[in-house]
Amino acid sequence: MGWFDSVEHNRWLSTQMQALIAEAEGAIVPTGFAHLTEEGEPDPERGIDLAVTGRMLYVFSLGVLMGLPGTRRYADHALKSIGTYFKDPVNGGLWISIKPEPDEDGHGIPWDEEGRSKSQYHNAYVILGLAAATVANRQGAYELLNDALHDQERHWIEPNGLVRDQYDEAFTQALPLRTLGTLLHTAEAYLAAAEATTDPVWIDRAEQMAAFANKIASEKSSRLPEYYDDEWKPLGEEPAGYVDGRRIYHGYVTGHAMQWSRIMLQLRAALRSLGRPQPDYLMECAVDLFERARVDGWRRNNGEPGFSTSVDCEGSPVTGEDEHQQWVVCEGICATVAIRRAMLDDGATPGEIEHFEHCYRSFLDYVNDYLILKPGRWLRSLDANNKRYATLKCSPWDVYHSIQTTLAVRVPLWPPYASALSRDLLDKPKEAPSDKKSWNSFFRRH
């Protein structure tokens, strides 16, 4: 019996998942969820981040759907924070960073001038979280989700179907830069929103984004440039002007390639659920992106296990960006699970999926052997030789990746995680039956 069929393996995954959710509870502050100190306490020197709070809404909503006691309070706190404290009362939209305490009137206060900006990268996590909260029947989530999606149409979606990346506070000027990371997180959020709203237009929009990623991958040997100008042409120099705290990469990001691989296969399964044709590129590009990232990134530093974070145009690790980050190997696990599942749903034989099962075991062994300090406490990053950094900022930032890693093998490719949990598809990863696959209504609290 392989890991994929093992009850004990699923129990191990469930133990890790529940501990991660419990650990994330420590990030709560009055206006949202904070970055953490090395001791696991809210970090007073860092603002309360919208993306972190959106991710926490997502994680705790999944907890609600799995029946984990205590998670409702944390999901509802994240929901209130997004709907109250992060909201810009003058210009609309959401600030990206606020102070941990509200003002005397109960309103949020931007952390600094940069915190007043608007960021699609952050919005994507808010939509993902609101979609999960809607499925989990949290009060007010459906209304906030619809507001967020109207904001997408008003400010963020471009005529070509892709999305702008960053605005000033008043939405008067968009930053003339675009990123593939923002695009992939938006595509993931749109798939979740399609299910939560039963509106397949968001699947259509995610497909436009996937088609663009496929086009770029076909031109770049399945390596995806991260940065683009405002006409979506790859940028030849380091991007300038970002104020939302994201890291600037100087190579091709292996984790983003593998995340696109997963999203393309979830999109493929979504189209199948609608009875629509599934373009051939979705499977072909998903496998190519995964394999290119695996060959470029896995065990590239003296044979040490782990993925290099970014590589150059020849596939060599970029000096200074060759560390082994938790989120990257997590996306590698989710991608290899997605490919294996898609192949099985298409009728593949055990021999045809053996390679991907081996990848799964190897990647998960790395997480267990190097990253998990104890259940719920995973290291964010190790150096290229798997040594711990003397100082490393802590955050619940990566729990979104790690939670999905513990669930990926336990649910079908479609519907999305939250909807799969709501339809009793946990530990039933085969392609869902027609009555649970998609587009079922569920009761929402108003």
Side-chain angles (χ1 to χ4, degrees), residues 93-414:
L94 300 169
W95 292 316
I96 61 173
S97 182
I98 61 176
K99 295 184 178 181
E101 298 282 349
D103 65 18
E104 293 179 356
D105 297 322
H107 301 136
I109 307 170
W111 177 255
D112 53 20
E113 284 304 308
E114 292 182 345
R116 295 179 176 276
S117 301
K118 308 295 165 59
S119 164
Q120 176 61 11
Y121 176 81
H122 289 65
N123 291 339
Y125 290 115
V126 170
I127 293 169
L128 184 69
L130 290 172
T134 297
V135 175
N137 203 25
R138 306 321 301 156
Q139 188 168 9
Y142 180 67
E143 291 77 11
L144 284 176
L145 176 59
N146 274 300
D147 288 347
L149 295 176
H150 289 321
D151 182 64
Q152 290 292 294
E153 296 170 328
R154 187 179 307 115
H155 292 122
W156 299 99
I157 299 174
E158 300 192 277
N160 62 3
L162 308 184
V163 289
R164 302 178 181 90
D165 207 277
Q166 188 175 291
Y167 268 106
D168 64 346
E169 182 180 26
F171 290 106
T172 57
Q173 185 173 359
L175 186 71
L177 295 172
R178 308 290 185 264
T179 68
L180 212 64
T182 293
L183 196 68
L184 75 86
H185 288 299
T186 301
E188 179 182 44
Y190 283 4
L191 290 176
E195 263 292 299
T197 62
T198 64
D199 187 349
V201 70
W202 299 102
I203 288 180
D204 298 336
R205 287 168 172 161
E207 185 180 4
Q208 288 180 282
M209 297 171 187
F212 175 78
N214 172 65
K215 174 179 178 294
I216 295 297
S218 67
E219 297 170 352
K220 300 288 184 179
S221 301
S222 297
R223 297 188 183 101
L224 297 171
E226 184 67 16
Y227 303 105
Y228 300 80
D229 63 20
D230 56 3
E231 295 182 352
W232 284 96
K233 296 178 181 177
L235 206 62
E237 67 273 355
E238 181 173 311
Y242 286 109
V243 299
D244 58 7
R246 275 178 288 168
R247 175 176 176 175
I248 300 298
Y249 295 101
H250 298 87
Y252 301 92
V253 184
T254 55
H256 284 168
M258 293 185 290
Q259 200 164 1
W260 266 117
S261 176
R262 167 176 63 85
I263 290 169
M264 286 184 180
L265 293 177
Q266 289 172 326
L267 171 60
R268 181 174 182 263
L271 292 171
R272 180 180 293 184
S273 79
L274 290 168
R276 295 182 182 177
Q278 304 101 59
D280 291 340
Y281 81 81
L282 289 171
M283 174 64 90
E284 295 166 359
C285 186
V287 174
D288 289 347
L289 287 172
F290 171 77
E291 291 295 349
R292 172 58 67 191
R294 181 186 65 82
V295 171
D296 284 351
W298 180 248
R299 288 186 175 272
R300 291 302 307 276
N301 296 288
N302 302 315
E304 290 284 339
F307 277 100
S308 294
T309 297
S310 63
V311 298
D312 62 22
C313 60
E314 300 298 325
S316 298
V318 173
T319 302
E321 297 182 5
D322 54 358
E323 78 275 27
H324 298 161
Q325 293 197 76
Q326 178 203 134
W327 77 266
V328 178
V329 70
C330 284
E331 288 303 331
I333 291 168
C334 291
T336 196
V337 167
I339 295 170
R340 174 190 178 273
R341 184 72 263 159
M343 292 177 68
L344 284 173
D345 289 345
D346 287 352
T349 65
E352 291 173 317
I353 61 170
E354 182 179 0
H355 165 66
F356 300 102
E357 293 188 345
H358 171 74
C359 289
Y360 175 78
R361 291 189 293 267
S362 297
F363 300 165
L364 199 57
D365 273 343
Y366 174 76
V367 170
N368 179 75
D369 296 347
Y370 290 89
L371 299 182
I372 300 178
L373 299 178
K374 63 178 184 178
R377 185 72 60 89
W378 295 20
L379 291 171
R380 292 194 70 200
S381 182
L382 295 169
D383 71 14
N385 295 304
N386 288 318
K387 305 299 182 184
R388 292 180 66 171
Y389 290 101
T391 59
L392 182 67
K393 289 185 176 181
C394 298
S395 177
W397 186 264
D398 291 330
V399 72
Y400 141 81
H401 295 282
S402 52
I403 290 293
Q404 292 197 151
T405 298
T406 63
L407 287 173
V409 73
R410 303 178 65 194
V411 295
L413 277 173
W414 190 262

Side-chain angles (χ1 to χ4, degrees), residues 20-29 32-36 48-64 71-79 81-82 125-126 128-130 132-133 395-403:
L20 285 163
I21 291 177
E23 184 81 6
E25 293 175 358
I28 193 169
V29 297
F33 288 84
H35 294 291
L36 301 174
I48 309 308
D49 190 271
L50 176 63
V52 170
T53 301
R55 290 183 182 205
M56 293 300 99
L57 175 59
Y58 177 68
V59 165
F60 288 116
S61 294
L62 295 182
V64 172
T71 51
R72 291 188 303 168
R73 177 167 72 91
Y74 291 93
D76 292 347
H77 177 70
L79 199 58
S81 298
I82 290 169
Y125 290 115
V126 170
L128 184 69
L130 290 172
S395 177
W397 186 264
D398 291 330
V399 72
Y400 141 81
H401 295 282
S402 52
I403 290 293

